[in-house]
Amino acid sequence: MGRDRYVDFLRAWAIGLVVLGHWLITGLERHSDGGIGAPELLATVPWTQWLTLGFQVMPLFFLAGGYAAGGSWVRARDAGGTVGGWVGQRALRLLLPTAAYSGLVLLAVGVCGAVGVDRDTLALVGWAMAMQFWFLPVYLVITALTPVLYGLHRRWGLRVPLGMGLVGGGVGMLGVVGDSSVAGVLGPVNYLLVWGVAYQLGFCWRDGLLSRGRVVPAGMAVGGVVVFAGLVGPGPFPVSLILVTGQELSNTDPPSAAMLAWAVAQVGVALLLAPGVRRLLAGVRVWAAVRAVGGGSMALYLWHMLPVLVVAAAFYLTGLAPQPGYGSLGWWVLRVPWLVVLGLTLAGVVRALRPLERGLASLSARLRPGPGVRWAWRMWPGLGLSVWALAYFAGHGFAYGGTFPVWPSVALGAGTVLVALDRGAVGRGEGGGGSGGGSGSAPTAQRALEEAV
């Protein structure tokens, strides 16, 4: 009863839009030689770039993550937990299901490569199955920095995200007004600065710094929209909040000043909507739906592109799928059955994965590093290996060039094992890491899966 249901709703809403957005922009074509292509919708039909304003919801992930992590770290610290133990527990919740997913995909890549599947096809499939991975290394690094970030928050409050935003906005403008070589070196820092602003605002929200009336959230919403409009209208940045091939500037690779403005606006809107949505969440049916999506959030996030491959094999390789002009009215009409079929297929995949999810949650509860881990000399290098491997997969896919990625695969496996080895004394100090009160009990299997994303 101590959980803030709105935080769980934000997670569920965000994961739903991520899945829907990826499905919507993924279009397949069957070539005359029988092969399948996937033209880039945002580049082929430029007006669709405006749709990304509604589907780019990563600020909500980081906002909810900061809210939950702040409460979890405070409970762990007050119960005598250490930085190494807490970070290890949080990291393992993400790494176990991710390593299991990656292992199964990599096994399939190895088998396909051995039987002679076309390299270009294998590379395309490997990219599709890893397209969502960019979030994971960023989130893991920010999670590892949480004790430091929360310490800064306790001392300086809203001045911390304000300062991060000013620096991130400046770095984001380097590619426009500065030396491109300097921008290339400093640009990746914005993955932590821009998304870190939303994460830090989660701390502020939890501690009541953003919810004293509606003035601050309204100012964030209006100000963010105005700045974004200036940066993408007369300004230099594209409207798309997803990387588009051929565009000289990107709002997400790395996050730009425009992405920062949109993140602030989105956080402001989320806070303004909170009271009304909380009233809706008091209803049993609405809350049950949110819990259902939240309980399977990690599976939905990791596995939602598998139905695309299933449908491609069943309808496109066989020639059964109609082929209206790409981006035409007929093509958009067929998006409706496309989304329905993918949704039904994903529901079957999630149901089939339930034993695996339960097993991973149970394994996480047994292996998670204890709060008493002090030096965590295995966990930190394990986390570093895992972050590097996930960043590689995010940028290259699971089969770059149609070949098996040996070293990233080894790094992810070894990193996950190293994080799990630093167990220490497993106790009751970490708490559920959730959005609500919980007084330090170990997380249930369902809550562990909910809080992994």
Side-chain angles (χ1 to χ4, degrees):
M1 294 300 294
R3 293 179 69 85
D4 186 339
R5 292 185 174 188
Y6 186 58
V7 178
D8 293 307
F9 167 80
L10 289 180
R11 288 194 186 105
W13 177 257
I15 195 67
L17 285 183
V18 166
V19 171
L20 182 61
H22 283 168
W23 286 352
L24 188 64
I25 67 173
T26 301
L28 303 178
E29 285 185 340
R30 187 173 189 271
H31 299 154
S32 56
D33 61 0
I36 297 178
E40 187 176 350
L41 180 65
L42 299 180
T44 306
V45 188
W47 70 262
T48 59
Q49 295 177 27
W50 288 93
L51 298 177
T52 64
L53 300 186
F55 285 103
Q56 177 54 276
V57 289
M58 282 303 162
L60 299 182
F61 272 113
F62 286 100
L63 176 70
Y67 187 107
S72 174
W73 168 239
V74 168
R75 290 191 296 275
R77 182 196 60 193
D78 292 348
T82 63
V83 171
W86 183 85
V87 172
Q89 290 177 343
R90 304 289 289 191
L92 197 61
R93 291 180 187 175
L94 275 177
L95 287 176
L96 278 180
T98 302
Y101 168 82
S102 301
L104 291 172
V105 174
L106 289 166
L107 176 62
V109 168
V111 171
C112 291
V115 300
V117 172
D118 176 70
R119 284 193 169 194
D120 290 339
T121 300
L122 193 57
L124 177 62
V125 172
W127 167 82
M129 296 299 286
M131 65 185 298
Q132 73 275 32
F133 265 36
W134 75 266
F135 166 80
L136 298 173
V138 177
Y139 197 81
L140 281 169
V141 172
I142 291 180
T143 296
L145 294 174
T146 294
V148 175
L149 295 175
Y150 193 80
L152 295 174
H153 160 74
R154 294 296 297 169
R155 181 162 185 168
W156 287 300
L158 281 169
R159 285 175 286 182
V160 179
L162 178 60
M164 292 173 66
L166 290 174
V167 176
V171 172
M173 293 298 295
L174 283 177
V176 179
V177 300
D179 188 333
S180 59
S181 61
V182 175
V185 173
L186 296 180
V189 176
N190 258 15
Y191 282 106
L192 301 182
L193 289 175
V194 172
W195 301 122
V197 167
Y199 194 81
Q200 203 79 22
L201 288 173
F203 297 159
C204 298
W205 180 26
R206 178 184 177 274
D207 289 350
L209 301 181
L210 300 176
S211 54
R212 298 168 185 170
R214 301 171 67 85
V215 175
V216 173
M220 293 170 62
V222 174
V225 169
V226 169
V227 173
F228 177 81
L231 290 172
V232 303
F237 294 100
V239 69
S240 177
L241 296 178
I242 297 176
L243 179 65
V244 178
T245 301
Q247 287 185 344
E248 186 175 346
L249 291 175
S250 167
N251 284 322
T252 56
D253 187 25
S256 69
M259 183 70 250
L260 173 62
W262 193 254
V264 171
Q266 197 171 103
V267 170
V269 171
L271 297 178
L272 288 173
L273 294 176
V277 177
R278 283 193 180 105
R279 287 192 292 271
L280 291 175
L281 292 172
V284 175
R285 292 183 178 179
V286 176
W287 176 236
V290 171
R291 291 284 290 176
V293 176
S297 59
M298 198 64 186
L300 292 172
Y301 182 78
L302 290 173
W303 291 93
H304 70 271
M305 289 304 289
L306 179 60
V308 175
L309 304 184
V310 173
V311 171
F315 294 97
Y316 284 85
L317 283 179
T318 59
L320 294 176
Q323 294 268 48
Y326 199 84
S328 66
L329 177 60
W331 187 87
W332 282 105
V333 170
L334 287 173
R335 290 284 90 182
V336 176
W338 163 263
L339 294 175
V340 171
V341 172
L342 290 178
L344 293 174
T345 305
L346 182 59
V349 170
V350 171
R351 176 176 287 274
L353 289 172
R354 282 179 181 174
L356 176 62
E357 286 185 349
R358 288 194 291 266
L360 289 173
S362 177
L363 184 63
S364 177
R366 293 198 304 271
L367 293 181
R368 70 183 189 276
V373 172
R374 184 163 298 278
W375 302 112
W377 63 271
R378 295 186 187 94
M379 189 276 295
W380 292 112
L383 185 60
L385 283 172
S386 301
V387 166
W388 174 80
L390 292 172
Y392 177 90
F393 290 138
H396 299 83
F398 284 112
Y400 184 66
T403 60
F404 187 88
V406 177
W407 290 114
S409 304
V410 172
L412 180 58
T416 303
V417 170
L418 286 173
V419 171
L421 283 177
D422 261 336
R423 297 180 64 183
V426 178
R428 295 175 59 87
E430 193 270 337
S435 51
S439 59
S441 61
T444 64
Q446 185 174 10
R447 179 170 292 188
L449 285 170
E450 289 173 354
E451 292 165 356
V453 175

